[in-house]
Amino acid sequence: MTAVAPAEVRRSTRSGAIGLAGAAVNGAFGFVLTIVIVRSFGPAGSGALFSVIGVVTIVGALCCLGADTGLMWALPRRRTGPAGDAARLIPVALLPTAGLALLVAAAGLFAAGPISRALLDDPAGATLIRVAFAGVPVIVVGTVLLAAVRATRAVSAYVGIQFLFVPMARPALMIAAVLTGGGVLAGFAGWLLPVAVALVIALALVAQPLGVGAGASWRPARADWRSFWGFALPRAASVAIDASSMWVGVLLTGALATQAEAGVFAAVGRYALAGLLVVQGLRVAIAPQLSRLLGAGRLAEAAQVYRRTSLWIVLLSWPAYLLLAVFAPAFLALFGADFSSGAAPLAVLAVAMAVNVGVGLVQTVLLMSGNSRGHLCATVAGLTVNLALCFLLIPRYGALGAALAWSAGIVCENVGAAVLARRALGEALFGRTLVGSALAVTAATGAAAAIGTLIAGRGLPGLAVALGIVAVSALALLSDRRIRAAVAAVRHQLKPQEKQ
């Protein structure tokens, strides 16, 4: 088997570490934002706010038309700088997406009344809907430009904007809105404003590497349109499905059950998605590298980068999801007594998300190999299962029904994507190291969770006992010479490479 070149190991390790650090901060402030929302507005108010955020998330993803992923795939394969051809892709990506976003925003402003009556219990919700749709062009252009930043700049630039600035600014602005007497409308404005600032920063960051103002050509060739949108359009549907995976459940729970149940499911979903921050952090770090390796036909190196990344995902995510499943009441206590009914839905989603992260970056492999159509097939299958079960289960079981439906869709989508990713790489997705590590980390965390439950129950005291055992066990592992050697190797890979 071909070994990964040292430069590729160093690149993937350093980028992955930066992505993980950013994901950790993003996750922490994501929880802060969720706590601020549910504590400030209660189940009904938070349900309305989460529903509106869900609407603009889905609509924004649709209007992006897959152009953000298209830039992530195409720009690493282009020449940057004044003499390069990378800048020609920016108008190809921005003109259709910005135009569609403006049309959708206008339609949303016109139909705000009917949309509000269908989704929200608040009779004054039409104003909230209007503000949300007015923000769609900002979200779309910002998303596309941030993808260009990630494809042309070091990963730290993207992480600084998307994983640090935006998630830190949102709860601060929302707290300020509440302290000044603002309601749900002011809270949503606090959620949206950081995206506008991020757009301006992203525009400034992409100018230099693309050669803006230095002679780079901005006039696309006909082949640029054909190749870019031949990849992006199939992704347009699948990215909307990805973005709406949780929000479909929130919206249907509000429509088929109550806004309070929708608020509970949204809060539970935020916990379930927290473990995906590890995946997201590594995805933004590794995706351009995978695109470059796969585009050059270096499949063996791409497969090994994928397996190395999958190992870190399992080691960091599975313990968190196991603890979420066992100690769901403890985690939900942070949101207040009104959200205690979410314990069972959270346990169900934790198991499904463990499957999701267990297959690694199969979605990224598919997209960076150029197989956006295969990715679309997998996501459509997952969405079909999700929707069918939502209509069947939500009227009777509320938030639990939405969790069961979403979980079934997650498993369906990831099994299909894993089969296609295996074909793209031409090698096995999982090796003995990954399987053995997964079993070991599950057994160790399970033992800690069992001891914590037996000693202090499934509440906060039991969780504290389990976390203490996990921490002590991790420190004990450092006494193993092999573990210390592995840590030293990672630290060496994180050091900047000396110039020859």
Side-chain angles (χ1 to χ4, degrees):
M1 181 180 293
T2 304
V4 180
E8 296 298 340
V9 173
R10 186 182 298 274
R11 184 192 299 269
S12 63
T13 304
R14 293 191 66 202
S15 298
I18 294 171
L20 285 174
V25 176
N26 187 21
F29 279 91
F31 276 118
V32 171
L33 177 63
T34 302
I35 292 172
V36 169
I37 291 174
V38 300
R39 289 286 190 178
S40 300
F41 304 108
S46 63
L49 186 52
F50 283 130
S51 294
V52 172
I53 292 174
V55 168
V56 297
T57 299
I58 296 172
V59 171
L62 284 169
C63 291
C64 280
L65 297 174
D68 51 335
T69 308
L71 289 177
M72 191 82 74
W73 166 73
L75 284 176
R77 306 179 183 211
R78 294 277 184 131
R79 291 176 292 111
T80 55
D85 58 352
R88 302 197 318 230
L89 292 178
I90 301 303
V92 173
L94 274 181
L95 292 178
T97 54
L100 178 60
L102 289 171
L103 290 175
V104 170
L109 292 172
F110 178 78
I115 295 173
S116 174
R117 288 190 292 272
L119 295 179
L120 306 178
D121 295 337
D122 186 357
T127 302
L128 181 60
I129 295 295
R130 292 189 183 96
V131 173
F133 274 92
V136 168
V138 177
I139 294 171
V140 170
V141 175
T143 300
V144 174
L145 287 177
L146 280 172
V149 169
R150 177 59 199 101
T152 58
R153 289 277 188 175
V155 66
S156 55
Y158 178 89
V159 168
I161 303 171
Q162 188 70 1
F163 285 178
L164 300 183
F165 168 71
V166 172
M168 293 172 70
R170 278 174 169 166
L173 290 174
M174 198 165 289
I175 290 172
V178 172
L179 291 178
T180 55
V184 173
L185 181 61
F188 178 77
W191 181 88
L192 181 62
L193 181 60
V195 180
V197 178
L199 185 160
V200 176
I201 298 173
L203 187 60
L205 285 176
V206 299
Q208 189 273 331
L210 293 179
V212 176
S217 173
W218 286 84
R219 179 174 295 179
R222 182 174 299 178
D224 294 327
W225 291 92
R226 184 170 57 252
S227 63
F228 183 85
W229 287 109
F231 171 88
L233 285 178
R235 176 59 175 155
S238 61
V239 76
I241 295 170
D242 289 341
S244 64
S245 57
M246 182 186 81
W247 299 113
V248 164
V250 173
L251 298 176
L252 288 179
T253 302
L256 300 175
T258 65
Q259 282 295 316
E261 285 285 313
V264 169
F265 179 67
V268 165
R270 303 299 277 185
Y271 268 125
L273 291 173
L276 295 185
L277 291 172
V278 174
V279 176
Q280 292 165 2
L282 290 172
R283 177 183 294 127
V284 299
I286 301 301
Q289 184 182 11
L290 284 175
S291 176
R292 179 170 48 80
L293 292 173
L294 291 168
R298 296 158 65 182
L299 301 185
E301 293 180 74
Q304 290 196 42
V305 169
Y306 163 81
R307 285 193 288 267
R308 177 186 293 270
T309 306
S310 298
L311 176 62
W312 283 109
I313 290 172
V314 168
L315 291 177
L316 295 173
S317 298
W318 274 24
Y321 278 126
L322 184 54
L323 292 175
L324 271 177
V326 175
F327 297 103
F331 287 100
L332 290 169
L334 295 175
F335 294 156
D338 290 334
F339 293 85
S340 61
S341 62
L346 180 54
V348 169
L349 285 175
V351 174
M353 289 297 178
V355 175
N356 189 359
V357 301
V359 298
L361 298 177
V362 290
Q363 317 279 4
T364 305
V365 169
L366 278 182
L367 291 170
M368 295 303 102
S369 69
N371 190 7
S372 55
R373 289 177 175 81
H375 184 269
L376 175 60
C377 291
T379 53
V380 167
L383 178 64
T384 301
V385 171
N386 187 5
L387 285 174
L389 291 180
C390 275
F391 285 106
L392 181 65
L393 298 176
I394 287 176
R396 183 172 181 179
Y397 299 106
L400 177 59
L404 290 168
W406 188 19
S407 297
I410 288 170
V411 173
C412 177
E413 176 182 343
N414 280 278
V415 169
V419 172
L420 295 174
R422 168 67 176 80
R423 295 176 183 173
L425 291 174
E427 294 191 15
L429 298 179
F430 313 114
R432 292 182 179 179
T433 301
L434 177 59
V435 174
S437 299
L439 293 175
V441 75
T442 300
T445 309
I451 294 172
T453 301
L454 290 173
I455 292 176
R458 298 177 64 198
L460 288 172
L463 175 61
V465 171
L467 289 175
I469 295 172
V470 170
V472 170
S473 300
L475 291 175
L477 284 175
L478 293 178
S479 63
D480 189 309
R481 183 178 60 186
R482 293 170 299 179
I483 299 297
R484 292 200 306 271
V487 172
V490 172
R491 290 178 60 187
H492 174 71
Q493 293 163 7
L494 291 175
K495 294 179 181 178
Q497 189 172 11
E498 295 182 2
K499 294 182 179 180
Q500 301 296 326

